[in-house]
């Protein structure tokens, strides 16, 4: 499988002025109907890593403006994992009866989708993690690839070259897979990513085999740790490195805005989607930073097993809203690990 099989990006369609209040809700329902119509027509979408967009001009961290439904180019192909590469690895579950479990279990039961969630409020230190199983990253891995590249540059005592900077911008902002493949090679492939993750504090992320960066496996807790290195002050990434990633995550192509943005008025995020070739089920992921309810939250939603892309998006957005609500209902400090 080529990297493009793992996560093929859509093309941006430019900024749009979005509705607010009831108008936004109507636009959102129209978007979901459009996705469902496309699914009914038999369009085959492949994995992408896209993100929401904001109003025209400086889009980093501005109020959310809803855009059009996810789409994919006509030559998209379904992802194919190498022989013997399992869909997921799930440890033996344990039950912890608390607010997050009570709220998220119905989502999993009703949707039939396996969901893992991690949410952190940096201001209070409140933190919750639900689900410890590993998930395919799809293009979520691109944030990790860029972090590894920046760590390498820091170690060599230099800034990114103009080529590295432009390639990284294309990889994050446009979710370009050729750019991801080039930088995957630049960091030394899987071994390079694994070495960087030791520094970044990611302990449960397994780099994809060979050139298959999109088949990297991770947990919600690990992606939360990655977000902390990107957005928090205490990080192995220098200030300039963090600022670069944050800027790219805030200036992605303006054609995909679903995911954790459902629970935020301002946000910086990356999404990923991937249809598995054997099961025909969907991996849908969303992660990033959102501002909501007068505070800031780092949110990670990883999922697999959705029967359609639209179904997966709906599940992820519901999980994002639920996770923030559950966290806000707790008394700090709290940091349970839930299964």
């Amino acid at each position: 499988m080529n990297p493009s099989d793992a996560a093929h990006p859509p093309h941006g369609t430019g900024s749009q002025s979005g509705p607010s209040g009831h108008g936004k809700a109507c636009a959102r329902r129209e978007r979901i109907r459009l996705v469902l119509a496309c699914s009914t027509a038999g369009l085959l979408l492949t994995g992408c890593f896209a993100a929401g967009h904001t109003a025209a001009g400086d889009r980093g961290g501005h109020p959310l403006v809803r855009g059009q439904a996810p789409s994919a180019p006509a030559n998209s192909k379904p992802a194919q994992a190498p022989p013997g590469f399992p869909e997921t690895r799930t440890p033996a579950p344990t039950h912890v009866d608390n607010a997050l479990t009570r709220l998220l279990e119905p989502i999993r039961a009703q949707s039939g989708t396996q969901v893992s969630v991690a949410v952190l409020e940096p201001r209070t230190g409140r933190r919750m993690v639900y689900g410890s199983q590993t998930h395919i990253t799809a293009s979520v891995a691109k944030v990790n690839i860029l972090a590894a590249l920046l760590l390498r540059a820091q170690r060599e005592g230099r800034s990114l070259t103009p080529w590295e900077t432009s390639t990284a911008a294309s990889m994050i902002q446009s979710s370009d897979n050729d750019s991801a493949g080039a930088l995957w090679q630049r960091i030394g492939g899987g071994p390079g990513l694994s070495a960087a993750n030791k520094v970044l504090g990611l302990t449960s992320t397994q780099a994809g085999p060979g050139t298959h960066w999109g088949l990297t496996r991770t947990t919600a807790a690990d992606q939360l740790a990655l977000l902390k290195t990107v957005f928090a002050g205490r990080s192995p990434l220098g200030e300039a490195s963090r600022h670069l990633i944050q800027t790219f995550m805030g200036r992605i192509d303006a054609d995909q805005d679903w995911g954790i943005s459902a629970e935020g008025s301002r946000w910086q995020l990356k999404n990923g989607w991937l249809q598995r070739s054997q099961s025909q089920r969907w991996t849908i992921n969303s992660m990033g930073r959102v501002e909501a309810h007068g505070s800031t939250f780092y949110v990670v939603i990883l999922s697999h097993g959705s029967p359609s892309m639209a179904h997966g998006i709906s599940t992820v957005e519901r999980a994002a809203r639920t996770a923030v609500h559950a966290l806000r209902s707790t008394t700090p400090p709290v940091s349970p690990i839930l299964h």
Side-chain angles (χ1 to χ4, degrees):
M1 183 192 74
N2 295 323
S4 59
D5 292 329
H8 200 292
H11 298 289
T13 57
S15 298
Q16 302 176 4
S17 295
S20 59
H22 178 70
K24 180 185 289 187
C26 292
R28 181 172 181 77
R29 287 193 293 271
E30 287 301 320
R31 185 191 65 174
I32 294 300
R33 280 197 289 268
L34 177 57
V35 174
L36 291 172
C38 291
S39 298
T40 303
L43 289 178
L44 181 60
L45 304 179
T46 191
C48 292
F49 201 21
H53 67 281
T54 55
D58 180 9
R59 296 180 292 172
H62 279 249
L64 172 66
V65 177
R66 288 291 177 186
Q68 67 184 67
S71 60
N75 61 354
S76 297
K77 297 180 179 180
Q80 295 182 357
F85 208 73
E87 294 282 335
T88 187
R89 301 189 183 100
T90 305
T94 61
H95 177 69
V96 179
D97 184 19
N98 57 40
L100 190 58
T101 297
R102 288 194 302 270
L103 291 170
L104 287 177
E105 281 295 339
I107 295 178
R108 181 165 65 177
Q110 294 166 11
S111 68
T113 300
Q114 297 297 313
V115 179
S116 293
V117 174
V119 58
L120 167 70
E121 184 181 30
R123 179 175 59 84
T124 63
R126 291 187 288 188
R127 173 182 179 270
M128 284 182 169
V129 177
Y130 170 87
S132 58
Q133 67 263 42
T134 60
H135 296 258
I136 294 292
T137 57
S139 288
V140 171
K142 290 171 181 173
V143 177
N144 202 173
I145 291 171
L146 179 53
L149 178 69
L150 289 164
L151 278 180
R152 176 175 177 171
Q154 287 178 188
R155 186 173 65 250
E156 296 172 352
R158 63 176 181 84
S159 301
L160 296 187
T161 67
W163 176 84
E164 288 173 332
T165 301
S166 63
T167 304
S170 178
M171 175 179 70
I172 300 296
Q173 295 175 189
S174 299
S175 200
D176 182 74
N177 295 318
D178 290 338
S179 296
L183 293 181
W184 176 258
Q185 183 177 13
R186 189 79 149 197
I187 66 172
L193 188 75
S194 297
N197 285 344
K198 291 181 180 179
V199 179
L200 295 169
L202 278 62
T203 59
S204 301
T205 297
Q206 177 186 354
T211 60
H212 306 310
W213 49 264
L215 294 180
T216 295
R217 292 181 176 276
T218 194
T219 62
D222 257 20
Q223 291 307 295
L224 183 63
L226 180 59
L227 288 178
K228 289 170 65 177
T229 68
V230 170
F231 293 107
R234 297 180 60 182
S235 168
L237 293 170
E239 182 178 359
S241 295
R242 297 196 308 274
H243 178 72
L244 185 68
I245 302 177
Q246 293 171 23
T247 298
F248 289 164
M249 290 179 71
R251 294 179 177 174
I252 49 80
D253 284 355
D255 62 347
Q256 306 296 336
D257 60 3
W258 49 270
I260 64 164
S261 58
E263 184 54 24
S265 59
R266 294 170 177 251
W267 46 262
Q268 292 157 301
L269 61 80
K270 267 299 192 180
N271 297 330
W273 66 89
L274 172 70
Q275 186 177 33
R276 303 313 304 274
S277 59
Q278 293 182 351
S279 67
Q280 296 299 302
R281 294 279 173 163
W282 288 83
T283 289
I284 304 289
N285 302 325
S286 184
M287 57 176 274
R289 176 171 67 176
V290 299
E291 293 182 16
H293 312 289
S295 189
T296 297
F297 301 90
Y298 304 159
V299 184
V300 177
I301 313 291
L302 305 177
S303 76
H304 68 271
S306 290
S308 69
M309 185 176 179
H311 180 279
I313 290 173
S314 177
T315 300
V316 163
E317 292 187 338
R318 183 181 173 192
R321 290 189 294 265
T322 299
V324 172
H325 171 75
L327 190 69
R328 293 179 65 235
S329 69
T330 63
T331 301
V334 60
S335 58
I337 304 299
L338 313 178
H339 303 277

